[in-house]
Amino acid sequence: MTVNTSGVTSNLSRREFSALSAAAFLPPAAAAQTDAAEPLISGTIPGTGENLPAVGLGTASVFNNDDEQTRRAAAQVLKTLVGGGGRLIDTASSYGGAESVLGSVIATEALRDKVFLATKLEAPDAAELQRSLERLRMEKVDLLQLHNVTDPRQSLAQFKAWKAQGLCRYIGITSTYHGEFAALATVLGREKPDFVQVDYSLDNRKAQERILPLAAEVGAAVLTALPFGRGRLFRAVRGKQLPDWAQDFAASWAQFFLKYLLGDERVTAVIPGTSDAAHMADNLGAMRGYLPGAQERQRMVSFVSNL
Ligand SMILES: NC(=O)c1ccc[n+]([C@@H]2O[C@H](COP(=O)([O-])OP(=O)(O)OC[C@H]3O[C@@H](n4cnc5c(N)ncnc54)[C@H](OP(=O)(O)O)[C@@H]3O)[C@@H](O)[C@H]2O)c1
């Protein structure tokens, strides 16, 4: 699909658009450049053609404590995600109390049918899966990922068996350790999972070398972990204004950083982590407007490289 806005053409052939209305959930700053009638940007899962709204939520370190205060904050973030047209939530068995917090909020707010829940296991261990399902209060998850692949011999046979049994709809693998990318690539090429999750941000583009081309080759959807480099990108631009040339497609630095990733056709969805509902709404703003094309993305890289 080709979208032409503001005189700039973006080739969005792997992206689909759905006419969900979300502007009511955006804070003024993020909503400023949006239009309720504007379509939302989504990615396509190659294996099935299912659409996934392109901005999701990461939960590493933000919902660690399973207590009342955290559950209240999580409820605000999840309601903002869903109300703003998002669905994807990424968590892990190793993220402290996050699975329990999410399970509680999703049940209390009756959100199960409105979210695409991805979790991760440290190993193909039935007891670990059962614990995750119990904490999440779910009979199945949407995506089950093997967390942090380290060995090229790691097998997804057990994950595939669980998928066949209906305990998950998709399977995936992850890594954010560049020293393990060779192992990740070997497992990706051999096991052909439905998803691969890898660190990718405007100032960290290692995934472009091998993992993203291979994901496209084997038909794996791509989730980008650490889209802000754990906040490193915000620290780099502290006190700086968005450049004029970016203001047509980004109303905030968060949207600038996320749109760089969404402008890469191989990326299915981004999963910025946040415990702040206003930040969630800001991030969701990256699902609106046009996406930067190749020339603009190069300009964004140069801009950040010269900070
Ligand atoms: N190996 C793996 O599989 C792996 C490894 C690492 C991460 N991950 C996944 O990737 C997700 C993302 O990574 P991450 O959460 O570590 O780092 P990140 O998304 O790169 O950055 C998160 C930081 O950005 C801030 N932030 C978020 N939205 C913002 C906004 N609109 N404006 C200003 N600040 C904003 C957050 O603070 P606030 O809370 O204040 O918003 C937080 O400090 C994780 O949550 C996890 O789900 C997977």
Side-chain angles (χ1 to χ4, degrees), residues 58-60 90 148 174 197 228-230 271 273-275 279 282-283:
T59 64
D90 179 70
N148 292 330
T174 83
Q197 181 181 149
F228 302 138
R230 290 200 175 92
I271 45 169
T274 186
S275 54
H279 285 172
D282 181 14
N283 298 341

Side-chain angles (χ1 to χ4, degrees), residues 34-105:
T34 68
D35 173 343
E38 239 181 292
L40 293 181
I41 296 166
S42 65
T44 303
I45 301 170
T48 59
E50 180 178 351
N51 270 359
L52 202 52
V55 176
L57 168 68
T59 64
S61 66
V62 289
F63 303 142
N64 276 359
N65 302 325
D66 182 13
D67 56 27
E68 191 49 39
Q69 190 185 349
T70 308
R71 284 193 291 272
R72 261 203 306 275
Q76 291 310 312
V77 173
L78 264 60
K79 285 195 277 189
T80 304
L81 171 77
V82 169
R87 279 178 68 207
L88 172 62
I89 301 171
D90 179 70
T91 190
S93 64
S94 58
Y95 292 172
E99 285 184 330
S100 301
V101 170
L102 291 169
S104 165
V105 171

Side-chain angles (χ1 to χ4, degrees), residues 173 183-193 210 214-215 217-218:
I173 55 176
L184 185 74
T186 301
V187 176
L188 178 59
R190 188 188 61 240
E191 302 280 345
K192 300 182 176 44
R210 180 90 183 97
L214 185 57
E217 197 181 307
V218 304

